[in-house]
Amino acid sequence: MQDSTIENKDSVKTDVIDEAVERGLERLTPERIAGVINQVLAKETGARFKTYIDTCMRCGLCADACSFFLSNDRDPKFSPAAKVKQTLTEMLEKRGNVSKDFLKNMVRIAHTECNVCKRCSMYCPFGIDIAYMMLTVRRICHKLEITPLYIQDTVNSHSATMNQMWVKEDEWIDTLQWQEEDAREEFEDLRIPLDKDGADIMYSVIAPEPKFQAGLIYQTAVIMHAAGVNWTMPSNPGWDNSNMAMFTGDFEISGRLAKAHYEAAADLHVNRIVMGECGHAFRSVYDVGNRWAGWRMPPIELVHAIDFFHELLTTGRIKVKEKYKKSVTLHDPCNVSRGRGLHDKAREVVNLLCDNFIEMTPNKEHNFCCGAGGGVINCGPPYKTTRMINNRVKKEQLEQTGAEVLIAPCHNCHSGLEDITHHYGVDMEIKFFGDIIYEVMEKTIYQGGV
Amino acid sequence: MNAFIDFITGPMVWISFLIFFAGVFIRVFRLAQEANSKEKFMFSYFSWKYSLRSIFAWLVPFLPASTRQSPVFWGISYLFHLLLFMVPIFLLSHIVLLEESLGWSWISLNDSIADVLTVLVILALVFFAVRRLNVPEVKFLTRSSDYLFILIVALPFLTGFLAYHQFFFYRTMVIIHILTGELMLILIPFTRFFHMFLAPISRAYTGSEFGNVRQARDW
Amino acid sequence: MKTKLLLIIMGFILLLGAIGAYSQDEEIVVMDTSAFENTQRPASVFDHDIHNEMAGLEDDCAICHHVYDGKTLVEGESSEDSYCADCHSLSKTAENDVPLRAAYHKRCKSCHFETNKGPVLCGECHKN
């Protein structure tokens, strides 16, 4: 029984055909393969990479940190160190002279079997950053042009439009005006102020919001209006804070995106940027893209939605009419808990909004990824089944809480968790903090003065 | 034969220490140099406060989640690393030799206690070897050199133990003991034994990134 | 197979131990260690007359029984009538910078190294 399920899983995994990878491999010559690998390993890595390679004592303690390893019945191939062994170690030892089959496996491992969640850095006694190692592998994939199709398309969109979903400029503005109009049924003078110079806050979103979750912009507009916030959104590129290029190793585009984001804020002379409930986007502008663009830390104060909601609720700008009754649990998105330590504030927000909070364990910095993060979900439909198999632990975690509602303050997590609850038949409704605030808030305008 | 013993207990000890210190210095220097030329940004994220916070957190047994998840391994590992340094440094015979050559001496372990501790070190190494052979995720990562490392560490302790008890081939045992001890010292800068120095460095950097930028704990 | 080999090795070790135990001379002469506190190793095996005869030291007492004035050796004088511990205190003092333990070790070993003869390793004198 056990054996047959493992066999099935393996066959599911080897059956995946990604056209971009297949075609990319066809184009490669042995010289180019070795050339690219050696260029990246020799020129683009340095003391950090060497230290990680030389320090690992192969103790295997990272294995227990990894949701892939745990979800695959402790299959040794899925431990974080094993992923390095199967990719980087071999490339280093063979001096880049690796086969196309090897590369095919490498793409699968680096792009779909690691969420670059950094949980393993917390279980490695030496703090080895295996996420960085896997991103280095993805950098090699990118330079070899064998990045999985769907995520590469997203990067192409970033490159051409500066947003993730080929949203055209008029579509963007149109969507905001449409949401403004709808929201005026609740507050007659509500605005979604575009390009308001000198506003206190620039609010930024990821492109899927205007594309197919415009209701989230509506909710935000209502919350902002009720809280009496002086806010704005840019009409020019830079409004999208998402960044898939950072996950494909296309660092050049990744840096451009973060730069465009901050420049949009600088052009509007805002005091700070508040961003919607998204994790990877936060990582992009707070931790990754800014570095590539040359800013040690964000050049303009950057506030994640959790932090912002916490502020609105604790300062009384948003008042709760009646607390949320259903039992809720909270999924800590990696990029804002392990990535920014917002887990405690998130809990305070939950408790300010809801009556019945059930903890999910392990949690906070030790949370398990939703399985979608790190660009894994963006590799698209070909890998969906394996993604489900690869994050069984999350399903087990969800079931253990027995909660009716799951709060996930991150877009990626949302999609990933929705896939998991559907695939495994977990009866759980998934919500953003914004959804709950919108539901429980008093729809009156804050009069404390701005 | 006495002349040979004179050499390995005299000049060879200094040669070993010299190679060790020079090797460590050169490697750390080169590492810093490379970081400075290619990844200078790392220094701007480095923080003493968070580096030390992380290192100390990981030195406290069973504070990090990982250590609580694998208590047996960690218990043995903590003890092993402690004894690996403590036993040779506080061993009476070693201190006597130092006293004769440099006139230095410090507090020593009782010989019979040191004897038991030596056995513990050897047992810990046996445990590590058995774990490499039997735990699938560790076995998958293990290479033959890993067993060689275990052997290199085990030899000075094993021969030291046998020599102390004077079971057999006393002279040979002591000579192997001295040579393998020196070998281990010489190998540290050139092998993964160097994790002795790299581990705190990589822990410090991860601790700095987690504490300084991500404002989260890393244990 | 492996366990068999292990048993054979263990048997061999026990046998060697037994031979060692039974073959010990009953009249072993050892150093007087009464000046030491908390001795950890067995006293050194040392038969004064046999040692000197083998080493050809019958007339050269001052090599071991030397006399120092401060840090300088007093030529032509010897100290057979006193104990090592009379001058070499257990730990360093103003008058003596060679503690007793080091004095013994250095005295014996330096000659043994120079002449390339005699015991120089711990267990060669401190026999169990």
PDB file of all heavy atoms in Angstrom, chain C residues 61-85:
ATOM      1  N   CYS C  61      77.110  11.384  40.616  1.00  0.00           N
ATOM      2  CA  CYS C  61      75.862  11.611  41.358  1.00  0.00           C
ATOM      3  C   CYS C  61      75.233  12.970  41.042  1.00  0.00           C
ATOM      4  O   CYS C  61      74.021  13.131  40.971  1.00  0.00           O
ATOM      5  CB  CYS C  61      76.134  11.548  42.853  1.00  0.00           C
ATOM      6  SG  CYS C  61      77.045  10.085  43.317  1.00  0.00           S
ATOM      7  N   ALA C  62      76.092  13.974  40.822  1.00  0.00           N
ATOM      8  CA  ALA C  62      75.582  15.352  40.707  1.00  0.00           C
ATOM      9  C   ALA C  62      74.726  15.593  39.469  1.00  0.00           C
ATOM     10  O   ALA C  62      74.035  16.607  39.374  1.00  0.00           O
ATOM     11  CB  ALA C  62      76.741  16.340  40.728  1.00  0.00           C
ATOM     12  N   ILE C  63      74.753  14.643  38.548  1.00  0.00           N
ATOM     13  CA  ILE C  63      73.874  14.826  37.396  1.00  0.00           C
ATOM     14  C   ILE C  63      72.428  14.930  37.863  1.00  0.00           C
ATOM     15  O   ILE C  63      71.676  15.811  37.420  1.00  0.00           O
ATOM     16  CB  ILE C  63      74.045  13.668  36.395  1.00  0.00           C
ATOM     17  CG1 ILE C  63      75.378  13.835  35.669  1.00  0.00           C
ATOM     18  CG2 ILE C  63      72.877  13.639  35.407  1.00  0.00           C
ATOM     19  CD1 ILE C  63      75.582  12.900  34.521  1.00  0.00           C
ATOM     20  N   CYS C  64      72.039  14.031  38.751  1.00  0.00           N
ATOM     21  CA  CYS C  64      70.681  14.132  39.294  1.00  0.00           C
ATOM     22  C   CYS C  64      70.689  14.942  40.591  1.00  0.00           C
ATOM     23  O   CYS C  64      69.874  15.834  40.782  1.00  0.00           O
ATOM     24  CB  CYS C  64      70.113  12.748  39.566  1.00  0.00           C
ATOM     25  SG  CYS C  64      69.912  11.767  38.071  1.00  0.00           S
ATOM     26  N   HIS C  65      71.603  14.619  41.475  1.00  0.00           N
ATOM     27  CA  HIS C  65      71.628  15.291  42.782  1.00  0.00           C
ATOM     28  C   HIS C  65      72.424  16.575  42.663  1.00  0.00           C
ATOM     29  O   HIS C  65      73.488  16.729  43.242  1.00  0.00           O
ATOM     30  CB  HIS C  65      72.257  14.358  43.814  1.00  0.00           C
ATOM     31  CG  HIS C  65      71.509  13.075  43.985  1.00  0.00           C
ATOM     32  ND1 HIS C  65      70.332  12.978  44.688  1.00  0.00           N
ATOM     33  CD2 HIS C  65      71.767  11.826  43.504  1.00  0.00           C
ATOM     34  CE1 HIS C  65      69.899  11.717  44.654  1.00  0.00           C
ATOM     35  NE2 HIS C  65      70.746  10.991  43.930  1.00  0.00           N
ATOM     36  N   HIS C  66      71.899  17.484  41.887  1.00  0.00           N
ATOM     37  CA  HIS C  66      72.618  18.728  41.612  1.00  0.00           C
ATOM     38  C   HIS C  66      72.375  19.753  42.716  1.00  0.00           C
ATOM     39  O   HIS C  66      71.521  19.569  43.586  1.00  0.00           O
ATOM     40  CB  HIS C  66      72.175  19.302  40.264  1.00  0.00           C
ATOM     41  CG  HIS C  66      70.683  19.392  40.140  1.00  0.00           C
ATOM     42  ND1 HIS C  66      70.008  18.965  39.030  1.00  0.00           N
ATOM     43  CD2 HIS C  66      69.751  19.816  41.004  1.00  0.00           C
ATOM     44  CE1 HIS C  66      68.718  19.145  39.217  1.00  0.00           C
ATOM     45  NE2 HIS C  66      68.549  19.662  40.405  1.00  0.00           N
ATOM     46  N   VAL C  67      73.134  20.802  42.634  1.00  0.00           N
ATOM     47  CA  VAL C  67      72.923  21.908  43.559  1.00  0.00           C
ATOM     48  C   VAL C  67      72.854  23.197  42.741  1.00  0.00           C
ATOM     49  O   VAL C  67      73.684  23.429  41.861  1.00  0.00           O
ATOM     50  CB  VAL C  67      74.085  22.024  44.584  1.00  0.00           C
ATOM     51  CG1 VAL C  67      73.880  23.243  45.484  1.00  0.00           C
ATOM     52  CG2 VAL C  67      74.190  20.757  45.411  1.00  0.00           C
ATOM     53  N   TYR C  68      71.823  23.961  42.965  1.00  0.00           N
ATOM     54  CA  TYR C  68      71.667  25.238  42.262  1.00  0.00           C
ATOM     55  C   TYR C  68      71.766  26.387  43.240  1.00  0.00           C
ATOM     56  O   TYR C  68      71.276  26.305  44.367  1.00  0.00           O
ATOM     57  CB  TYR C  68      70.308  25.301  41.549  1.00  0.00           C
ATOM     58  CG  TYR C  68      70.336  24.726  40.145  1.00  0.00           C
ATOM     59  CD1 TYR C  68      70.245  23.348  39.939  1.00  0.00           C
ATOM     60  CD2 TYR C  68      70.451  25.561  39.037  1.00  0.00           C
ATOM     61  CE1 TYR C  68      70.263  22.815  38.670  1.00  0.00           C
ATOM     62  CE2 TYR C  68      70.463  25.025  37.754  1.00  0.00           C
ATOM     63  CZ  TYR C  68      70.369  23.662  37.573  1.00  0.00           C
ATOM     64  OH  TYR C  68      70.383  23.150  36.313  1.00  0.00           O
ATOM     65  N   ASP C  69      72.394  27.430  42.777  1.00  0.00           N
ATOM     66  CA  ASP C  69      72.359  28.663  43.558  1.00  0.00           C
ATOM     67  C   ASP C  69      71.549  29.662  42.730  1.00  0.00           C
ATOM     68  O   ASP C  69      72.051  30.213  41.761  1.00  0.00           O
ATOM     69  CB  ASP C  69      73.789  29.165  43.785  1.00  0.00           C
ATOM     70  CG  ASP C  69      73.808  30.465  44.589  1.00  0.00           C
ATOM     71  OD1 ASP C  69      72.760  30.771  45.218  1.00  0.00           O
ATOM     72  OD2 ASP C  69      74.831  31.173  44.544  1.00  0.00           O
ATOM     73  N   GLY C  70      70.343  29.833  43.138  1.00  0.00           N
ATOM     74  CA  GLY C  70      69.450  30.636  42.297  1.00  0.00           C
ATOM     75  C   GLY C  70      69.232  29.909  40.981  1.00  0.00           C
ATOM     76  O   GLY C  70      68.695  28.813  40.974  1.00  0.00           O
ATOM     77  N   LYS C  71      69.677  30.509  39.911  1.00  0.00           N
ATOM     78  CA  LYS C  71      69.469  29.860  38.615  1.00  0.00           C
ATOM     79  C   LYS C  71      70.753  29.248  38.073  1.00  0.00           C
ATOM     80  O   LYS C  71      70.750  28.723  36.968  1.00  0.00           O
ATOM     81  CB  LYS C  71      68.897  30.881  37.623  1.00  0.00           C
ATOM     82  CG  LYS C  71      67.454  31.251  37.973  1.00  0.00           C
ATOM     83  CD  LYS C  71      66.681  31.706  36.769  1.00  0.00           C
ATOM     84  CE  LYS C  71      65.214  31.812  37.176  1.00  0.00           C
ATOM     85  NZ  LYS C  71      64.355  32.208  36.087  1.00  0.00           N
ATOM     86  N   THR C  72      71.819  29.355  38.810  1.00  0.00           N
ATOM     87  CA  THR C  72      73.070  28.805  38.289  1.00  0.00           C
ATOM     88  C   THR C  72      73.445  27.515  38.985  1.00  0.00           C
ATOM     89  O   THR C  72      73.334  27.373  40.215  1.00  0.00           O
ATOM     90  CB  THR C  72      74.232  29.811  38.445  1.00  0.00           C
ATOM     91  OG1 THR C  72      74.114  30.431  39.720  1.00  0.00           O
ATOM     92  CG2 THR C  72      74.230  30.855  37.347  1.00  0.00           C
ATOM     93  N   LEU C  73      73.922  26.594  38.204  1.00  0.00           N
ATOM     94  CA  LEU C  73      74.330  25.298  38.707  1.00  0.00           C
ATOM     95  C   LEU C  73      75.667  25.475  39.427  1.00  0.00           C
ATOM     96  O   LEU C  73      76.580  26.118  38.915  1.00  0.00           O
ATOM     97  CB  LEU C  73      74.497  24.327  37.531  1.00  0.00           C
ATOM     98  CG  LEU C  73      74.945  22.915  37.862  1.00  0.00           C
ATOM     99  CD1 LEU C  73      73.837  22.159  38.584  1.00  0.00           C
ATOM    100  CD2 LEU C  73      75.351  22.178  36.603  1.00  0.00           C
ATOM    101  N   VAL C  74      75.762  24.894  40.610  1.00  0.00           N
ATOM    102  CA  VAL C  74      77.025  24.966  41.349  1.00  0.00           C
ATOM    103  C   VAL C  74      77.867  23.770  40.953  1.00  0.00           C
ATOM    104  O   VAL C  74      77.510  22.631  41.255  1.00  0.00           O
ATOM    105  CB  VAL C  74      76.770  24.985  42.865  1.00  0.00           C
ATOM    106  CG1 VAL C  74      78.084  25.140  43.622  1.00  0.00           C
ATOM    107  CG2 VAL C  74      75.796  26.094  43.212  1.00  0.00           C
ATOM    108  N   GLU C  75      78.946  24.018  40.237  1.00  0.00           N
ATOM    109  CA  GLU C  75      79.792  22.928  39.751  1.00  0.00           C
ATOM    110  C   GLU C  75      80.491  22.234  40.913  1.00  0.00           C
ATOM    111  O   GLU C  75      80.898  22.870  41.883  1.00  0.00           O
ATOM    112  CB  GLU C  75      80.854  23.475  38.786  1.00  0.00           C
ATOM    113  CG  GLU C  75      80.302  24.094  37.512  1.00  0.00           C
ATOM    114  CD  GLU C  75      79.839  23.067  36.492  1.00  0.00           C
ATOM    115  OE1 GLU C  75      80.096  21.866  36.678  1.00  0.00           O
ATOM    116  OE2 GLU C  75      79.195  23.482  35.496  1.00  0.00           O
ATOM    117  N   GLY C  76      80.633  20.930  40.805  1.00  0.00           N
ATOM    118  CA  GLY C  76      81.447  20.187  41.776  1.00  0.00           C
ATOM    119  C   GLY C  76      80.742  19.908  43.096  1.00  0.00           C
ATOM    120  O   GLY C  76      81.286  19.281  43.979  1.00  0.00           O
ATOM    121  N   GLU C  77      79.551  20.382  43.241  1.00  0.00           N
ATOM    122  CA  GLU C  77      78.839  20.057  44.487  1.00  0.00           C
ATOM    123  C   GLU C  77      77.671  19.145  44.182  1.00  0.00           C
ATOM    124  O   GLU C  77      77.107  19.186  43.100  1.00  0.00           O
ATOM    125  CB  GLU C  77      78.316  21.341  45.135  1.00  0.00           C
ATOM    126  CG  GLU C  77      79.371  22.018  45.977  1.00  0.00           C
ATOM    127  CD  GLU C  77      78.779  23.102  46.853  1.00  0.00           C
ATOM    128  OE1 GLU C  77      77.741  22.824  47.494  1.00  0.00           O
ATOM    129  OE2 GLU C  77      79.335  24.216  46.872  1.00  0.00           O
ATOM    130  N   SER C  78      77.335  18.306  45.147  1.00  0.00           N
ATOM    131  CA  SER C  78      76.191  17.420  44.919  1.00  0.00           C
ATOM    132  C   SER C  78      75.314  17.380  46.162  1.00  0.00           C
ATOM    133  O   SER C  78      75.685  17.905  47.208  1.00  0.00           O
ATOM    134  CB  SER C  78      76.668  16.028  44.532  1.00  0.00           C
ATOM    135  OG  SER C  78      77.409  15.475  45.595  1.00  0.00           O
ATOM    136  N   SER C  79      74.172  16.777  46.024  1.00  0.00           N
ATOM    137  CA  SER C  79      73.186  16.858  47.103  1.00  0.00           C
ATOM    138  C   SER C  79      72.553  15.509  47.402  1.00  0.00           C
ATOM    139  O   SER C  79      71.344  15.406  47.558  1.00  0.00           O
ATOM    140  CB  SER C  79      72.109  17.871  46.708  1.00  0.00           C
ATOM    141  OG  SER C  79      71.570  17.493  45.445  1.00  0.00           O
ATOM    142  N   GLU C  80      73.368  14.463  47.449  1.00  0.00           N
ATOM    143  CA  GLU C  80      72.822  13.121  47.703  1.00  0.00           C
ATOM    144  C   GLU C  80      72.088  13.023  49.026  1.00  0.00           C
ATOM    145  O   GLU C  80      71.234  12.176  49.214  1.00  0.00           O
ATOM    146  CB  GLU C  80      73.937  12.055  47.718  1.00  0.00           C
ATOM    147  CG  GLU C  80      74.661  11.868  46.429  1.00  0.00           C
ATOM    148  CD  GLU C  80      75.953  12.646  46.425  1.00  0.00           C
ATOM    149  OE1 GLU C  80      75.879  13.879  46.612  1.00  0.00           O
ATOM    150  OE2 GLU C  80      77.013  12.048  46.233  1.00  0.00           O
ATOM    151  N   ASP C  81      72.456  13.894  49.951  1.00  0.00           N
ATOM    152  CA  ASP C  81      71.894  13.787  51.293  1.00  0.00           C
ATOM    153  C   ASP C  81      70.506  14.409  51.429  1.00  0.00           C
ATOM    154  O   ASP C  81      69.890  14.344  52.466  1.00  0.00           O
ATOM    155  CB  ASP C  81      72.860  14.445  52.291  1.00  0.00           C
ATOM    156  CG  ASP C  81      73.270  15.836  51.824  1.00  0.00           C
ATOM    157  OD1 ASP C  81      73.056  16.124  50.610  1.00  0.00           O
ATOM    158  OD2 ASP C  81      73.773  16.620  52.638  1.00  0.00           O
ATOM    159  N   SER C  82      70.027  15.026  50.371  1.00  0.00           N
ATOM    160  CA  SER C  82      68.695  15.633  50.530  1.00  0.00           C
ATOM    161  C   SER C  82      67.688  15.077  49.513  1.00  0.00           C
ATOM    162  O   SER C  82      68.066  14.453  48.517  1.00  0.00           O
ATOM    163  CB  SER C  82      68.800  17.156  50.380  1.00  0.00           C
ATOM    164  OG  SER C  82      69.435  17.467  49.170  1.00  0.00           O
ATOM    165  N   TYR C  83      66.440  15.308  49.815  1.00  0.00           N
ATOM    166  CA  TYR C  83      65.383  14.865  48.898  1.00  0.00           C
ATOM    167  C   TYR C  83      65.152  15.918  47.813  1.00  0.00           C
ATOM    168  O   TYR C  83      65.390  17.111  48.063  1.00  0.00           O
ATOM    169  CB  TYR C  83      64.074  14.682  49.662  1.00  0.00           C
ATOM    170  CG  TYR C  83      64.075  13.482  50.558  1.00  0.00           C
ATOM    171  CD1 TYR C  83      64.240  13.631  51.941  1.00  0.00           C
ATOM    172  CD2 TYR C  83      63.896  12.197  50.022  1.00  0.00           C
ATOM    173  CE1 TYR C  83      64.231  12.522  52.771  1.00  0.00           C
ATOM    174  CE2 TYR C  83      63.890  11.091  50.858  1.00  0.00           C
ATOM    175  CZ  TYR C  83      64.067  11.254  52.230  1.00  0.00           C
ATOM    176  OH  TYR C  83      64.057  10.164  53.031  1.00  0.00           O
ATOM    177  N   CYS C  84      64.672  15.471  46.697  1.00  0.00           N
ATOM    178  CA  CYS C  84      64.312  16.417  45.619  1.00  0.00           C
ATOM    179  C   CYS C  84      63.361  17.478  46.157  1.00  0.00           C
ATOM    180  O   CYS C  84      63.481  18.669  45.884  1.00  0.00           O
ATOM    181  CB  CYS C  84      63.641  15.701  44.456  1.00  0.00           C
ATOM    182  SG  CYS C  84      64.624  14.353  43.799  1.00  0.00           S
ATOM    183  N   ALA C  85      62.413  16.962  46.981  1.00  0.00           N
ATOM    184  CA  ALA C  85      61.355  17.839  47.471  1.00  0.00           C
ATOM    185  C   ALA C  85      61.869  18.896  48.434  1.00  0.00           C
ATOM    186  O   ALA C  85      61.175  19.867  48.724  1.00  0.00           O
ATOM    187  CB  ALA C  85      60.259  17.014  48.134  1.00  0.00           C
TER     188      ALA C  85
END
